[in-house]
Structures are given as structure tokens and as C-alpha cells.
Amino acid sequence: MMRSLRLRLAVGAVIAIGLVLLVAWFSLTRLFTDHVVGRYRSEMMTTVDTLAAELVLREGRLMLTGEPADPRFDLPNGGRYWQISPVDGSNSLRSRSLWDVSIDSDAPPNSHYEGFTTSEGPDGRPMLVHSQTLSLGEEPRPVRSVASAAFPQRELDEALNDFQAPLQLMLLATAGVLAAAAFFQNAIGLVPLRRLSERAAAVRAGRERDFGTSGPSEVQPLVSEINLLLKEREVAVERARARASDLAHGLKTPLTVLAQLADRLPAEDRALALRQVELARQRADRQLQAARMGVERMATTSVMGLGGKLVSVLRPVTAERDVAWEVSIDSSLSLDVDPADLAECLGNLLDNAAKWARSFIRFSARRVNDAITIVIEDDGPGIAEQDRDAILKRGARIDSTDEREPEGAGLGLAISADIADAYGASLTIDQSDLGGLRARLTFPVRVVRRPLRDPV
């Protein structure tokens, strides 16, 4: 099935042009053939009428008082022939151009040229014959004869062939002109669709809110429906944001109270209670993140601009431990990713590197073929190979004796992995040549966001 509208229109135009020109060729050929055959038939009928006017009966014999004036009748094989053949089989009267050949008055009709029969000419080639029965004398014993006029069939064939060559050339030229016109028409006619595509890209990137109202009347109903959908979607976004805000405020106070109450518990239960409160807080944040990702629209985000802001926030946190940063990002890189989503995804990874790095963090981004790769590395303790897949699962924790390990549920890397997956990207964890953890985010150049997985 052809998916290209341009190709469909082109194929339809070619088929239509071909059918029209085929009908035109057949019709013109038929009309010209009928016209030429009619002219030759009229000429032969005139010759027969002339013979009939000059034919007389004297002493029981047929005689001509005069002959047709065309000089070709007097030249052997001259191209025009006549003959009068008595029905009783007596001697025939004929033109000198026939020489010693007689026209067969009983020849079968010609299958191509109506109104003619075919007989052999003096040169051995076929000639077309028009015949008419004449009757002289009075009843009951009139003298009947057959008057015939003929000409070479090749003369008519050549006339028709001479017409076919320029006709075919003309139709081919017409086909070329019509095909070019159809191509031009398709190009002009599809311009509004191309503009709609550009407008859709602008809406998707966040530069426009709707498709506007301009354009041809044929697509206005579709544009109006899309604009209504976008308006309804905008309303849904605002409602979702309002509900997310209500949920955030509704959970904040109970969790704070629970944390305060946990401080009154015995020491052996306090850590467990605080960890559960932190787990509830992080999972609530994850639910809010999922709701926001489901409704916000895409926008083009500069990797360098966003990454620089995140580094500027974290650099003071690591300064007291003398952690050095190396940032190497191509300033031209940008992604069709919501800034808040990319900020949380990169923020979690950078925060993890800042938390565990001993003295050095490397943050780089570059484009390779049709993908943009963002790499965050540190020289911290890293993660054992058998635990690298598990750390990307929500709620997973890795046993560690490091005093810097916070009391939490370990959702940061899992959240980053889910955000990457929602945008068709991938997050991989492995060992850095610095000695610590290396997180590698790979985004396709043209991002198409997928539904976010249901959070736990």
C-alpha cells in the first residue's frame, strides 16, 4: 500500500493522463480514418456515377460515349482504375490503367475499410474497389452490369500511416506537458500540508500553542478539531498540575509529623521509622513526577545550558571535600526533552556522583551518529558488577558500610532510568576508568516520548 500522498497523486495523474490520451488517440485515429476513407469512397462513387452517365446500349451492346477525365485512367498501372462488367459475362469495358488485369466484381468485402472490396491490381498488389450495379434497357430484358472504380490500397494505408507518426509525437508531447503540470499541481497543492507539518513540529517543541486558523478551507475542519484537542489537553495539564500540587501539600504535613513522632521512639526503632518516612516521601515524589511527565509537552532543551546550571549548584557542595569537576559538553547539543525531566534525570546522576566522588567528577556529552551520549563519571568506590542492574530498579538498595550513605530508599538512579526510558533513551551503569561509577545516558537525536511506566 502506498503511504505517500504525493506518490498516490502522481500515480493517479499518470493513470488518468494515460487513459485520456489513449482514448484521444483511438478517437482521433478513428475520426481521421473515417474521414479519409469517406473521401476515397466519395471519389470512387463519383467515378462510377460518371461511368453510369456515359454508358449507353447500342445494338444490344454496352458502350461509353465518354470516359472519366482523370489522366491516371489512361496510364498503365496509373493508380486509378475503372471497369464495367456485364452480368451476362460478355466482354467488359475497362480503363487502360488496368492493362490486362480485370477487377473481380465478386471479391469479398475489405475487413478494414467499410464500403470497399479487395481485388488484385496490375502490379500484383491489392486495390480497393467500389462497385455499383447498373441496369439499361426496358423490362422484361434489361441489360445489367457492374460498374467498378478502384485505387491502390497502399495509397490509403500510407495516408493513414503518415497521420499516425505526428499524432503519436503530439500525444507524447501532450503527455509530458500534462505530467509536468500534474507534478507542479501536486507540489503546490501539498504546500499547506507541509506547513501544517512544520506547525505541528512547532507545537511539539513548545514554540506554538495550536495550529492557528490559516490554511485552505479543505483542511480547516481537521485543523479546528486538532486545536480543540490541544485546548482540552492544556486544560487537562492545568488540572493535573493543580492535583499534583494539592497532593504535595497534603502529604507534606503528615510526613513531617510522622518524622517528629519518630524522634520519640527508642533508638533501635527510630532509624527504621525515619527510613520508612523517607521512603514514603520519595515514593510520593515519584508519583508526582509520573503525573507531570504524563501531561507536560515536549520542548527543546540545551544540554550545555541545563548541565551548566546543575554543576553550578553541586560544585559548592563538593568544594569542601576538594572534589574537582571536568565538564566537556558540545554547546550545540540539544534534546527534544522537557527541561524539568532532563534536569531530574541528570540531577540524580550528578548528585550521586557528587555524593560518592573522592576527588574528581567528569561530565561530558557529545553526538555520535544519530545519538547524543551523556556520560557522568566519578572516582568513588563504584558499584560491584553484580549489583549494577539491581541499582536501577526502584526501591533497590546496595549494602554499604560507607559513612556517607544516606537514609533513603535509593530511588534516584531508578527515577533517572525511568525518565530515560520514557524518552526512548537508555541508562547504563559500568566501571569508569577513574575507578568509580560511570553512568551513560544515550538519547536518540529525534526523541519520541513513550508512556512512563507505572510507578511502584
Side-chain angles (χ1 to χ4, degrees), residues 7-26:
L7 182 59
R8 290 184 182 184
L9 293 175
V11 171
V14 168
I15 293 176
I17 291 172
L19 290 176
V20 169
L21 293 182
L22 185 63
V23 171
W25 173 78
F26 178 81

Side-chain angles (χ1 to χ4, degrees), residues 89 96 228 254-255 271 296 303 453:
R96 290 184 181 180
L228 288 175
L255 290 175
E296 289 187 351
V303 179
R453 291 181 295 179

Side-chain angles (χ1 to χ4, degrees), residues 282-337:
Q282 291 190 15
R283 290 196 172 178
D285 290 342
R286 185 72 190 102
Q287 292 282 354
L288 295 177
Q289 169 69 13
R292 182 176 57 76
M293 286 186 65
V295 297
E296 289 187 351
R297 70 183 157 191
M298 304 271 282
T300 300
T301 304
S302 168
V303 179
M304 180 64 182
L306 181 61
K309 292 179 182 179
L310 294 174
V311 171
S312 65
V313 171
L314 292 172
R315 196 188 296 271
V317 177
T318 59
E320 61 184 20
R321 304 199 326 262
D322 293 328
V323 174
W325 289 76
E326 178 185 318
V327 179
S328 176
I329 302 176
D330 185 349
S331 60
S332 65
L333 294 181
S334 62
L335 288 170
D336 291 338
V337 178

